[in-house]
Structures are given as structure tokens and as C-alpha cells.
Amino acid sequence: MKSAFQRSSSLALLMGLATGAGPAFAQDASQSVPAPGSQPLGELTEIVVTGSLIRGTPTDTALPVEVYSREELEKRGSPTALEFAKTLTISGPTTGESYYFGGPTLIGSVNYNLRGLGSDKTLTLLNGRRMDINTANVPSLALSRTEILKDGAATIYGADAIGGVVNFITRERFVGIDMDAQYKYIDGSDGDYSAGILAGFGEGRVNVMGSLEYEHRSRLRALERDFVKDSLDPTRPGYNTAPWSTLTNLAGWLPRGPLPAVPSASDVGEFGAAIAGIVPDFTPESCAAVGGRYENDFTCAYNYIPYYSLVEDNDIYRGYLQLNAELSERMEFHADASYARVISPKVIASPAQPMVRGPAMASGALFQIYAPITNPYAADFAARNGITGASGFTPVTYRLLGHGGNFAFGNDGFGVPDRVENEIWRVSSGLKGTLGDWAGKASEIGYDFAVTYNYANKFNTHPDTIGYRLQEALNGFGGPNCNAPDLDPTRFGTQNPAAAGQNGCMWWNPFSTSFAGQPVRSLANPNYVPGQENSIELTRWMFNPRATEEISENTTVDLVFDGKLGVNLPGGEIGWALGGQYRDVKRRVNVPDPIYNGSLACEWPSQFTSANGPGSPNLPAMPLSPDDPDFRGCTPDGPGPFVLFAPLPPSSLSRDQSSIFAELRLPVLSNLDFQAAARHEEFEGGLGATVYKLAGKWNVAGPLSLRGSYGTNYQAPPLQAIPGQVTVAARTYTVANGNWLGARFITDSNLKPETATTKNFGVIWNSDGFGAGHHFQATLDYFDIRTKDKIDQVADPNQIASLVFNGEGGRITTCDPNVQPLLNRVSFNVPCAVGLSAVGAFSSISTRYGNGPGQSTNGIDLQTMYDLPVGPGDLTLSLNATRVLELKTGPTTLDGVVVSRGDDRLGTLNFATFALSAPEWRANFDANYSFNRHNMRVGVNFVSAVKDERPGIQYGENGEDWITVDLTYRFAFDDSLSFSATMANAFDRDPPPAQEEFGYDPWTANPLGRTVEIGVRKTF
């Protein structure tokens, strides 16, 4: 990586490229009033106007831009990037919280989601140049301000700006040293803390600035919060049922007769006929003793959430270096490099993944493993239950570990830990200025030429059980040091009774005698037999870490010319900008493990796997491509060696895209100004899009102004969307009692760009207030965004399952695919039968990934600020609010079936679909009082309640409004030293209840409760 960094840095520096999306020099402060919360314009030497490429464009243009200065955020107690993103009223559900079920690889990586359309539709910039969607490398200490364009901007910046643009802008020519440190007290954890140092030197033609920062979040276990405990007692009316699974290691076992001479692809054909009914490995009393929920003779459900954490240990290391140089009166050079490393060493998960398929020849989740009577623990189980004549046992369903935890990975969470490491770095540099005398009449034409390189490396592990290893251990041939000859290669696994359990080979005990109790809650297991627990070494051998490294690279070359057209309108001379952009995008996925990447079908002790049914030859254990029709991985039914996930073959993809664009500023009258822009972009592979935009502002009279815009936008298909590719994941299914089962996403071959139209109309009032020294400003904007051909899963697997199992109680009403074509997308565990319950009936659902229904949203943004002198100081009252009036997803058809006639997502949790919660209102009210060296602030944050739209009565059915109050005090000892103290959520409000795993919606709220943070800043 070091050499790649050096090459990219050298390339950018040698080419002399500059950052900054079209600089515009500041007007006199009296001509342009900053937005609420912004830094006064008179304090800046240069303004980068987000949304325009023409120099001299006023900062109060027709485009709706919110500006947040460094000074304003200091008054708020210097919130973290995640805290800042979550408080934006224009933002939808936001990732970055330590929330396992939202994707463990996102922990510590803040993705902005303007308008709730998805983070992939919000473009993030650093100094006007593209950066990775993971904003961990934004140098918070070096920032001057953050500008947020609340409007589509594809004409200016290219693809991916449908929802808007977030532009982080660094300090220009900082000289000195700036240090800060913060500590946040959080009840139940060791707290969060951060420290950073910024240094800059050079007051002449050259300025160099650099910063180093460190942030740490400490683990907060789930059971540290009472609202999480609402799921623990299944006998309490109205308890939270979300974190319960019926796939567990306390199972019911079916005694089997002799093994068939020739195995075939059914449970009876492979394991023999049942000689008795299901024998439970628990009683209602012993199930409850370990915190379980008794379902039936073969299911003691378990609550997995005690094993998880609300917040995980997370470290972020961040560095930034910037060079600004005035090469001549007409030429400036800029270069910057930013780096971040995000490490979550142990993201604790469930003790093991659910088994939705296994090494058995028949597909599905039922009867996937076999414990022969030669297994001493199986023999003990038979003796304890008075079973005679059994050759072995098969569980109806099974999970390797559950109630008893998993101690094999040396962590205090008693579960399987993921490791997440994200590395992000970026280099950008270039030249800007005017052409000069050599260009004659074109001497005042400006140029802005830049190259930007972004690199992101996402590494994570996500362990899963290897099914065939479990079967080997049940046969007595488990462990890394076992090496015994297979005497019957026609049958699955090693067959050699005399060698079982000998010479380094170990037995697996799958029964309730194997664990002492539920470790997190300190519940004793009455069935435990000391000495019958499974060894740490054997348990660890059962898992594959499934390590994945995803590397994304993109190089962007920007060239923009701008100037005056020489044509005067009554309001002034027409300004123009013309330019082009070239982007080279690369993505590769490295999967080093031969089992996980599919290159090694199985580590068989012989050269053959089992036969695939009577009359079929033995399947050789030779590497086959996962897309080969004969690929079996380690399971005869084909998906691969794991009990839940599929193999992931390595991949390497790239795409070039280039665009040309033009912009005009038309000052029609002194009080009427228009901006017009168009862009055409071509993508490798024959895809392309042309977009345009028209915006205008009219200063009607005195303090009143009107503004509006209309434009089209687009987004290219993701690079990783490979036609025909099959991706396997886990999903929770409503009709299956919320169980996590398999989901398969098959990418369409005819993807096309997603497109959108955006509208914005605003009213601006800017005047004196009701007294001397008062100032009042208000902005009211109406926005409307409509997308088409959204690139995503076409239908959610949960929706498909609910349509197939659409009878009362989640039962199937037809098994005729001509009547219900979606039956073909269900992987059944048992033959389909009318009246079959969804619980335990299927293991996976398949759906399409491609162009699906569009989205439409509209609403109103309100920003107000009133500033007045009070006593010895100044009081500022401000209100930012967003009221979403509509948020809908269009109708969906899959295989000729209407999956949805359109979802009205507004005001709902949206848990049953692929969307996220959508509150109608988000608002922030601030009262800030400053006098002498003191600054005091009260902030009230409001998010309206969302209703759970799933059928039936849910925990937290109607939600609650999320209202928190923050108090901040800042004292400046002198111009160089300040102290701040913040009490967030001062009244210790719990997040609104929701039937999700932790009992709340983590995308809009947080589980921290009342926190107290202190900070110190010192400047030299």
C-alpha cells in the first residue's frame, strides 16, 4: 500500500493540480448574509460556493445551502461526525453507530443520507473534490466549515448527487498550533475520548497545515440498558419478540434406524427411517432455566441479544496534510492528503450462525446433521431417554452454539467476534488561476485543474460454521490434528469406527449436557454434565473466519474554465463555466481463504465426497468455479461449505467514465439572477446520461427574496453489480417469527442508470428585528425529488415470503406455481403443502437485484434565526425543521406478481421492506447566549414518532416522539485557551421503543442515555 500511496502522491504533485470546486471570491459582507449557523463572511478570504463552478457567484445564490462553521460547532460542544450527521434535519436514517444488524463493517464510518433516499445518493466532497462515501478521513480539526447543498447537483459534480452534496472545507492559511481533547462519560462503559493537534506555518506565499487526530469509543454491552431487557422475559405481555431465534442448540432429535446402503437426497434416504417420535433435549423448565422460550418438542428458542453490544470498542486514527502556495499573481497551487484507519477489533455477535442448510444431501434447514450411536454423547442421550435400537439421531433444526455461548475466541462477549478494519486515504492537488497576458483577450479566463485519488480498503471477518466439519466431529473425526482413513467414500464424512475419537480425533457433543449455562446472564443449565463440554480447540476448528478485503479506488481528473461571456444583461455580464471530468473507478475483492473463495471444494480426507443420489457417481473433491453447474462446495445441494453464507469468489472490476458540462450565470436584472447548467456523462459499457438544471433567485423587494430550481440527476449502476452474480446474506422474516434465514440476490443483466428529477422553491426573509441591534432571518424551502429505476433489490425477501405464506397465521394457501409464481423463489425445507406454516418451512428466498421502483419525496425545510442583545451579551434563537410531506416507493412487480402497489413509507418504521424508518418531522431549536468569555447553549432535538407497519400488534407499535435536550457551556480563559462542558440528553430519555433487536431504532436514535462531555482547546 505504501508504494501505491507514493505513486499516487507523486503523480498528483507532479501534475500540479488543485482542489476546490470552482472558487468564488467573497463579496462585501453587507452584500451577502450567511445562513443560520454559518461563519460570518467577513472572516473568510475565499468562499467555495457549493453548487457552482463560476467565480464570483454570490454565496446567497438560488441554491439551498446550509453552512456550519467551526465556531458554531464549538458552541455545540464540538460534536463528533456521527453526532453532527444524526442531528441534521434534512438527513434520513444515518449509519455509523456501532449497530451490528445494520452491517458491522459500517461501524465508525459515517455515511450521509440526505432526504432519506440512501447514502449512495448523497455526494461527499472535501474542498469541492470527490471523496469516498466513508467520511472517516475528514479532518475535523482542520475544517473551516461544512456546506450542505440540499438539492440535486449532477450537472455540477456528476453522478451520485441526487439527494444533495456535503462539502467539507478546510482552513485556508492557518498559522500556529491548535490542540484539543475531549472525554465523554457514558454510564455502563469506559466512556469515549478523543485528542487532536493541528499545526500550520507560513504567512507568506506558502502555507503548510497538518493535523493528527485520535478517537475512541468504548464498549457498551446490550444489557447495560433497561430498554434492551424488555425482550428477556417471554412470559411478560407485550415483550419485544425481535431478538429471538427458533434455530438453537437445544433441539429435538429423531431416532433413526439403520443407515441405507445407498444414500439418497432425502432425510430418510440418507439417515434411515425414524424408529420413534421426536425426543426433546429439554423440558419447558430446563428451557426456561437458561433464558429460553419453549416452543414445542424440538425448539427451545433463545434470545441472542445479550451476547451483543450497543456500542463496540472502536478506534479511529486520522491524519491530514495540506499545502497552499501562491506561485505567481495569477497561479495558486494546492495539495492535500488525508488518511484514516478505523479499527473495531471485536464486534461481538451471536455464538454461531443459524443453520439454514448443512452438509446433508437434501436441501433446507431440517435434518441436516447426523449423530451416530457410536458418538458417546449420542449413546448417553439414548440411555437418558430410554431409547433402544437407534443407529443415530438427527435434529429437526440445529445451531452449533446458542444458549451456552461460545468461549472459543477469547473474548468477554461469549460470542463470535468480527474484526473490522477500514483504511481510507485520499490525495488531491492542482493549479488554479487565470490564463494571464499570454492569452490576450482571454487573459481573465480562469482555470481550475485537479487530480484526486481516493483509496478505501475494507477488511472484515464474519465467521460461519463449516457444515462438513460439524459432521466430521459428530462422527468422531473433529479437530485440526485428526487424520484417519475413510473406509467408505460413498458416504458423507469419514467412516472408520475404530479410529473415531482416537489419535487427535475428537467427538462433538451436540446435546444439552455440553454447556454449564447462559454465561452473560449467569443462568445455570440443569442438564449440564461436567466433563461433557466441547473443547475450545474443537469449537474453534468448526469456524471459518470468512475474511474479506474489499479495495475501492477511483481517480478523478477535473478541468474547468470560467469567465465572462462579454454579453451584458441589465443585471450585469453573463458568467460562464465549461469543463470536463474523467473518472477511473476500480474495485477488487480479495478472499484469501481457499474454502471461502470456492477454489477448494472441501478438505476431504479422501478424494471423494458423497454420491448425489442413487445411480449417480461419487463427486470428486476438485475445485470448480462457484458458477459451474456441478459446483457442490462442501454440501451436495450446492451452495458451499457454510451453514448460512455462500462462497465468495475474488473479483476485480473497473469502469471509466467521462463527462462534459457547461454552466451559465444570467443576471437578467439587478434583482433577478439565473443559473443554467447541463452535463453529459458516458460510462464504459455503453451507458450514458444527460442532465440539466435551471435555478433562479429574485430579490423581490427589501428583505424578501424568492428562489427556485429544477433539474435532472442520475446514478450509475454500482461497479460491483455483476450481471448474474449471486450474493447470499441473512434476513429476518416476519412470517417466520422473525427468524434469520437465508436470502439470495441475483443481479440482472440489463442494468441501466437510475435517474431523478428535483425541484426546489424557497422564500427568504432577511431583515432587522423588532429593536435596535436585532436581526431576523427566515428561509422556507419546498423540495420535491422523484427517482426512477432505483438500483437495489427489486423486492425484499421478507415481502416475497409474506406473499407466499399469505394465509392466516403465516400459512401457505397454494402450492401451484402457476397460481403463485413466487413459489419458485422459495427454498423449502419440506415439500410444499397447503396449510404449511412458514416457521421452519423454508431456508432461503431469492430475489432480483436490478432496476426497481422509483421513490418520491417532498416536503418543507424551515430555517429561522433571531439575534438580539440581552443584558451584557447577545442571545441567538434559531430553529431548523424539516417536515416531509410524502415519501413513497413505486409499485413493484416480480415474476408477474404485484409484490407491492407502492409503499407509503412516511411515518412508518419500514421494517417489513428494504427501507428504513421515515419520521415526518425533524427539528432542532437552539438558544445561545454569549457574554464576555462565557457562552451557554440549550438545544432541543425532536424526531417524530414512527408507526410499526407490520401486521399484528408489535412492541412499540406506535413509537414515540424522540425529544432530547442538550446543554453546553463554554468558557474562554483567554484568546488561546477554552473549556467546554456538554450534557447531552440531559433528562436521560430512553430511545423510542421499536420491535428491533435492541428494542429501538438505531438509525434515528441512540442508546447512550444522559452523557457528560468535557473538552479543552489550546491554541498557540
Side-chain angles (χ1 to χ4, degrees):
M1 195 220 78
K2 182 178 180 181
S3 61
F5 183 89
Q6 291 171 337
R7 288 195 301 270
S8 300
S9 301
S10 300
L11 171 64
L13 292 171
L14 287 173
M15 293 185 71
L17 310 171
T19 65
F25 293 93
Q27 296 180 319
D28 183 78
S30 64
Q31 295 176 320
S32 182
V33 178
S38 70
Q39 183 174 349
L41 299 180
E43 298 180 12
L44 300 175
T45 59
E46 185 179 41
I47 297 295
V48 177
V49 180
T50 303
S52 178
L53 298 172
I54 301 174
R55 290 175 299 158
T57 301
T59 57
D60 58 345
T61 62
L63 302 175
V65 179
E66 290 186 9
V67 185
Y68 296 86
S69 70
R70 175 173 51 85
E71 290 82 1
E72 162 65 16
L73 295 182
E74 286 179 2
K75 293 177 183 179
R76 299 186 183 190
S78 299
T80 66
L82 179 60
E83 291 167 338
F84 172 69
K86 279 199 162 187
T87 57
L88 292 173
T89 65
I90 57 177
S91 180
T94 302
T95 63
E97 197 70 73
S98 294
Y99 181 60
Y100 183 91
F101 301 97
T105 60
L106 297 175
I107 292 174
S109 305
V110 181
N111 295 343
Y112 287 81
N113 177 17
L114 300 185
R115 301 304 185 198
L117 296 174
S119 58
D120 58 335
K121 294 172 181 59
T122 297
L123 183 63
T124 52
L125 309 172
L126 180 60
N127 289 325
R129 304 297 181 196
R130 283 177 175 260
M131 63 181 303
D132 191 81
I133 192 173
N134 182 343
T135 60
N137 61 328
V138 172
S140 59
L141 198 58
L143 290 183
S144 168
R145 66 191 184 281
T146 301
E147 296 186 351
I148 302 177
L149 174 61
K150 305 179 295 184
D151 200 9
T155 54
I156 302 300
Y157 299 110
D160 311 325
I162 290 175
V165 178
V166 179
N167 190 6
F168 303 97
I169 301 172
T170 58
R171 305 192 202 189
E172 279 291 312
R173 287 180 170 266
F174 175 76
V175 176
I177 297 176
D178 196 355
M179 298 187 299
D180 73 354
Q182 292 177 301
Y183 174 78
K184 179 187 291 183
Y185 168 80
I186 302 172
D187 183 34
S189 88
D190 293 335
D192 299 349
Y193 43 88
S194 63
I197 181 171
L198 173 73
F201 62 89
E203 297 181 343
R205 299 168 68 94
V206 178
N207 177 266
V208 178
M209 181 179 70
S211 65
L212 294 173
E213 301 173 59
Y214 170 70
E215 294 180 16
H216 174 79
R217 299 196 74 184
S218 297
R219 176 175 292 161
L220 177 64
R221 297 307 310 268
L223 296 187
E224 291 291 340
R225 293 294 180 264
D226 289 340
F227 56 82
V228 177
K229 298 177 183 178
D230 283 349
S231 69
L232 297 183
D233 183 3
T235 66
R236 185 179 65 82
Y239 78 104
N240 178 17
T241 62
W244 286 83
S245 175
T246 58
L247 300 177
T248 169
N249 60 328
L250 284 183
W253 296 79
L254 197 64
R256 300 280 183 173
L259 292 172
V262 179
S264 59
S266 69
D267 64 296
V268 173
E270 185 167 10
F271 303 122
I275 63 170
I278 295 172
V279 181
D281 191 22
F282 53 87
T283 64
E285 294 74 22
S286 66
C287 173
V290 292
R293 184 182 70 196
Y294 183 86
E295 302 282 318
N296 48 46
D297 284 350
F298 55 88
T299 304
C300 172
Y302 93 110
N303 188 322
Y304 48 79
I305 211 60
Y307 296 106
Y308 289 78
S309 298
L310 290 163
V311 179
E312 288 290 6
D313 279 325
N314 178 253
D315 294 289
I316 301 178
Y317 304 87
R318 186 181 296 120
Y320 181 73
L321 184 63
Q322 174 178 291
L323 170 65
N324 284 321
E326 184 180 337
L327 303 182
S328 70
E329 292 183 357
R330 289 183 173 272
M331 182 182 295
E332 295 180 6
F333 173 75
H334 174 97
D336 64 55
S338 57
Y339 174 84
R341 188 174 182 86
V342 183
I343 302 174
S344 299
K346 289 184 177 180
V347 182
I348 305 300
S350 192
Q353 300 290 356
M355 178 178 267
V356 302
R357 64 166 181 268
M361 297 173 69
S363 62
L366 306 183
F367 304 116
Q368 284 297 312
I369 56 173
Y370 176 78
I373 199 66
T374 53
N375 182 314
Y377 306 111
D380 176 71
F381 178 77
R384 283 189 287 116
N385 289 279
I387 301 170
T388 59
S391 298
F393 299 89
T394 57
V396 181
T397 60
Y398 187 68
R399 183 191 297 251
L400 183 71
L401 297 165
H403 289 282
N406 185 342
F407 295 85
F409 293 91
N411 63 80
D412 59 0
F414 311 106
V416 178
D418 293 351
R419 180 174 179 85
V420 179
E421 293 186 29
N422 291 339
E423 185 179 52
I424 309 100
W425 55 270
R426 174 185 182 275
V427 178
S428 183
S429 63
L431 295 168
K432 64 181 178 182
T434 54
L435 295 179
D437 295 338
W438 67 269
K441 293 183 179 181
S443 62
E444 296 304 315
I445 290 178
Y447 62 88
D448 189 349
F449 183 49
V451 167
T452 304
Y453 174 78
N454 284 285
Y455 173 94
N457 185 331
K458 295 190 296 185
F459 172 86
N460 71 279
T461 63
H462 197 36
D464 195 4
T465 306
I466 302 176
Y468 85 88
R469 286 189 178 179
L470 171 57
Q471 184 58 62
E472 285 284 81
L474 289 169
N475 289 349
F477 301 100
N481 299 317
C482 181
N483 186 15
D486 183 12
L487 303 183
D488 184 3
T490 65
R491 191 173 296 281
F492 182 85
T494 300
Q495 307 296 319
N496 190 336
Q502 307 294 319
N503 302 317
C505 298
M506 291 182 276
W507 295 99
W508 179 259
N509 180 4
F511 300 101
S512 62
T513 58
S514 64
F515 63 95
Q518 210 284 3
V520 180
R521 299 177 61 191
S522 300
L523 303 175
N525 175 17
N527 291 349
Y528 172 59
V529 176
Q532 291 197 12
E533 59 273 355
N534 292 299
S535 76
I536 296 295
E537 181 183 29
L538 178 60
T539 304
R540 192 176 295 124
W541 178 77
M542 294 286 194
F543 289 85
N544 183 286
R546 296 180 63 251
T548 306
E549 181 185 55
E550 180 183 328
I551 298 173
S552 301
E553 301 174 88
N554 64 78
T555 302
T556 304
V557 180
D558 290 300
L559 175 61
V560 179
F561 295 98
D562 76 307
K564 300 294 185 179
L565 196 59
V567 177
N568 286 288
L569 299 176
E573 191 174 359
I574 296 176
W576 62 271
L578 181 67
Q581 184 183 84
Y582 169 80
R583 296 184 65 209
D584 176 52
V585 183
K586 294 183 173 65
R587 177 183 181 269
R588 65 181 184 275
V589 177
N590 299 327
V591 183
D593 188 278
I595 296 177
Y596 183 29
N597 67 27
S599 62
L600 177 65
C602 276
E603 301 172 357
W604 291 113
S606 72
Q607 292 301 306
F608 297 93
T609 68
S610 63
N612 194 25
S616 65
N618 294 325
L619 301 173
M622 297 178 65
L624 293 173
S625 170
D627 57 5
D628 190 294
D630 293 327
F631 175 75
R632 294 297 190 275
C634 294
T635 64
D637 67 330
F642 304 112
V643 300
L644 178 61
F645 296 107
L648 179 66
S651 61
S652 181
L653 304 166
S654 64
R655 180 172 66 208
D656 294 339
Q657 51 198 78
S658 58
S659 60
I660 56 173
F661 49 89
E663 180 187 358
L664 289 175
R665 182 191 168 208
L666 305 167
V668 178
L669 300 171
S670 60
N671 64 342
L672 181 62
D673 198 293
F674 285 97
Q675 175 190 349
R679 186 185 195 100
H680 178 75
E681 186 150 3
E682 291 284 347
F683 301 91
E684 186 177 3
L687 297 175
T690 300
V691 292
Y692 55 90
K693 185 169 188 174
L694 178 65
K697 183 181 179 185
W698 178 26
N699 297 323
V700 180
L704 178 64
S705 299
L706 302 177
R707 67 184 177 194
S709 66
Y710 177 85
T712 55
N713 295 271
Y714 64 100
Q715 181 178 23
L719 193 61
Q720 62 269 29
I722 306 170
Q725 176 175 276
V726 178
T727 303
V728 177
R731 289 291 186 271
T732 178
Y733 291 89
T734 302
V735 295
N737 281 352
N739 275 319
W740 287 81
L741 302 170
R744 301 172 73 242
F745 304 89
I746 305 170
T747 303
D748 288 349
S749 60
N750 57 344
L751 285 177
K752 56 185 177 181
E754 179 178 354
T755 58
T757 58
T758 60
K759 306 172 189 175
N760 193 90
F761 177 77
V763 180
I764 304 170
W765 183 275
N766 189 359
S767 69
D768 294 334
F770 298 105
H774 293 214
H775 174 237
F776 174 62
Q777 179 174 326
T779 302
L780 185 68
D781 280 294
Y782 171 80
F783 65 89
D784 186 288
I785 305 174
R786 299 178 184 275
T787 70
K788 184 180 178 182
D789 297 321
K790 183 178 187 294
I791 304 169
D792 206 335
Q793 57 185 17
V794 173
D796 188 76
N798 188 48
Q799 292 176 303
I800 297 172
S802 296
L803 285 171
V804 172
F805 296 91
N806 61 352
E808 184 177 353
R811 297 183 180 277
I812 205 162
T813 57
T814 180
C815 292
D816 185 353
N818 294 314
V819 176
Q820 177 50 275
L822 295 178
L823 284 163
N824 296 319
R825 294 189 173 273
V826 181
S827 296
F828 284 96
N829 295 325
V830 294
C832 180
V834 174
L836 179 68
S837 170
V839 180
F842 69 97
S843 60
S844 181
I845 300 288
S846 296
T847 188
R848 286 174 44 217
Y849 181 90
N851 293 108
Q855 301 180 84
S856 60
T857 182
N858 60 66
I860 297 172
D861 293 330
L862 172 66
Q863 291 179 276
T864 65
M865 180 186 71
Y866 195 95
D867 187 42
L868 70 159
V870 175
D874 292 301
L875 175 65
T876 301
L877 304 175
S878 62
L879 172 66
N880 281 18
T882 296
R883 169 64 161 97
V884 181
L885 301 173
E886 178 187 67
L887 183 60
K888 292 182 177 180
T889 301
T892 303
T893 300
L894 181 66
D895 301 339
V897 176
V898 177
V899 175
S900 170
R901 298 187 183 279
D903 295 316
D904 186 355
R905 293 171 45 198
L906 187 60
T908 63
L909 188 65
N910 292 304
F911 193 86
T913 66
F914 53 82
L916 299 174
S917 58
E920 295 181 1
W921 278 99
R922 295 178 69 104
N924 300 325
F925 171 77
D926 295 333
N928 192 91
Y929 185 64
S930 178
F931 71 99
N932 296 328
R933 298 183 181 276
H934 305 271
N935 191 87
M936 293 168 286
R937 176 184 173 273
V938 178
V940 181
N941 312 299
F942 174 81
V943 180
S944 63
V946 293
K947 181 179 176 61
D948 195 321
E949 79 285 5
R950 287 173 286 185
I953 303 301
Q954 314 295 333
Y955 172 80
E957 172 81 13
N958 296 311
E960 294 176 3
D961 294 336
W962 172 234
I963 305 173
T964 58
V965 177
D966 302 335
L967 308 174
T968 301
Y969 171 72
R970 186 171 184 268
F971 178 74
F973 293 94
D974 52 39
D975 292 339
S976 65
L977 178 63
S978 63
F979 166 83
S980 65
T982 299
M983 180 183 292
N985 193 359
F987 295 102
D988 200 20
R989 285 285 308 274
D990 282 342
Q995 190 164 300
E996 298 192 44
E997 285 76 15
F998 289 122
Y1000 80 104
D1001 176 22
W1003 304 91
T1004 52
N1006 75 66
L1008 302 182
R1010 181 192 297 117
T1011 65
V1012 178
E1013 181 174 359
I1014 57 174
V1016 178
R1017 169 160 286 178
K1018 175 65 176 176
T1019 301
F1020 299 93

